[in-house]
Amino acid sequence: RIFRYLTRFEYRMRRAREYRGGKGGGSKGEGYSLTSSTKRIPRLIFLILMFAHWDGCLQFLVPATLGFPSRSWVARHEPSLLRSDGVTIFTQYSWALFNAFSHMLCIGYGPYSPEIVGEVWITIWSMLSGAALFSGIVGSVTALLLSLDSSGTKFTAFMDTVEAYMRQREVPGELRDRIRTHLRLQYR
């Protein structure tokens, strides 16, 4: 019984804090405000771009440290990607970034599948971390879309408060149903 009382008290205090604007930012009657998920999405996009940059550099670094073997994606793609032919760093970076995004989005291996052990490990790492970052973006967008329904959330919180009050005062079941119906018709 004490546990139930403490749970109800904690629940009421949390609802009162949210109603006054202590948790969600803003006060009663304010419209939509920036939530943590809206702030998180640009951070995740920046993280994906940074990871793609690092991954693209590693995609090119592994064959470069091995002396561009003939089985590497760089040598198989075009011999012109090798720096000795006068190709620009931007072209090399573009192809390495394309490789990185292909792996991160799990849409393929890029222009060629990896044949060197180092490239295989970089590909595995790219695919696993790309999938993890992608799931973070999907989760943040979902949280943002769910938080856009602020009036529905406020109504649900209000109904929860009314339900807790009726339970505490031991209001009869028929009267509870009438109160719920009235509130739904009045405020929805």
Side-chain angles (χ1 to χ4, degrees), residues 118-153:
E119 288 181 352
V120 169
W121 282 106
I122 292 294
T123 302
I124 291 170
W125 170 251
S126 296
M127 288 184 167
L128 290 176
S129 38
L133 290 171
F134 183 70
S135 67
I137 286 283
V138 169
S140 292
V141 169
T142 303
L144 173 65
L145 292 176
L146 288 175
S147 70
L148 290 177
D149 183 24
S150 62
S151 64
T153 306

Side-chain angles (χ1 to χ4, degrees), residues 51 55 59 99-100 102-106 108-109 114 116-132:
F51 179 78
D55 191 29
Q59 294 285 336
N99 240 9
S102 295
H103 297 167
M104 285 174 56
L105 299 174
C106 298
Y109 296 114
I116 299 173
V117 175
E119 288 181 352
V120 169
W121 282 106
I122 292 294
T123 302
I124 291 170
W125 170 251
S126 296
M127 288 184 167
L128 290 176
S129 38

